[in-house]
Amino acid sequence: MRLITLALAVLLLLIQYPLWLGKGGWLRVADLEQQVEAAHQKNDSLKSRNAKLDSEVRDLKDGTGAVEERARFELSMIKQNEIYVQILRKGQDMPGDGATPAPPPPPDKAKDAKPH
C-alpha cells in the first residue's frame, strides 16, 4: 500500500511539472503578462510623444507663430528694425564667441562701375 501511495505522489508531481514550469505554465504566463504590461506602458508614452510631435508639425505647417518662435529662440533671429538686448550676468561668456564671423559687406557699386 505504501508503494502505491508513493507512486501516486510521484505521478502527481510529474503532472504538476508542466502546469508550473512547462511551456504554457503559470510562471511563464505571469512573466508574459508582465512583459505585455511593460510594452503597453512604453506604447502609451510613445503615443503621447507622437501626439506632441504631430501637434508641433501641424502648428509649423499651418501657422507662422511657431516658425517665428523657433527662429527667435533657437536661432536668435530678430525682425527688421527691431532691437535685440541681452543682459549678461557677471562671468557669463558673450554669446556667439564660437560663432562663424559675419560675411563681408557687399562691394560698393560706385567703385565697381566701369566708365563708358
Side-chain angles (χ1 to χ4, degrees), residues 7-18:
L8 289 175
V10 169
L11 287 175
L12 182 64
L13 289 175
L14 288 175
I15 290 172
Q16 291 289 316
Y17 175 79

Side-chain angles (χ1 to χ4, degrees), residues 9-65:
V10 169
L11 287 175
L12 182 64
L13 289 175
L14 288 175
I15 290 172
Q16 291 289 316
Y17 175 79
L19 180 65
W20 289 95
L21 304 172
K23 189 174 182 179
W26 287 349
L27 296 176
R28 176 85 171 130
V29 169
D31 182 44
L32 290 175
E33 284 176 349
Q34 288 177 349
Q35 290 178 12
V36 167
E37 182 61 32
H40 281 300
Q41 289 176 354
K42 185 174 181 179
N43 284 343
D44 290 342
S45 69
L46 290 175
K47 283 179 186 178
S48 172
R49 186 196 68 171
N50 286 347
K52 287 177 187 175
L53 289 174
D54 184 49
S55 144
E56 190 173 338
V57 166
R58 252 188 277 117
D59 192 28
L60 287 171
K61 283 182 180 178
D62 298 337
T64 58

Side-chain angles (χ1 to χ4, degrees), residues 62-95:
D62 298 337
T64 58
V67 174
E68 183 178 338
E69 180 183 348
R70 279 187 169 245
R72 286 178 176 275
F73 290 110
E74 292 180 8
L75 303 174
S76 300
M77 297 179 98
I78 59 173
K79 290 182 180 179
Q80 190 172 7
N81 298 327
E82 195 175 54
I83 298 173
Y84 177 74
V85 177
Q86 183 175 13
I87 300 172
L88 298 176
R89 293 186 183 105
K90 236 180 196 178
Q92 187 176 3
D93 291 337
M94 292 283 293

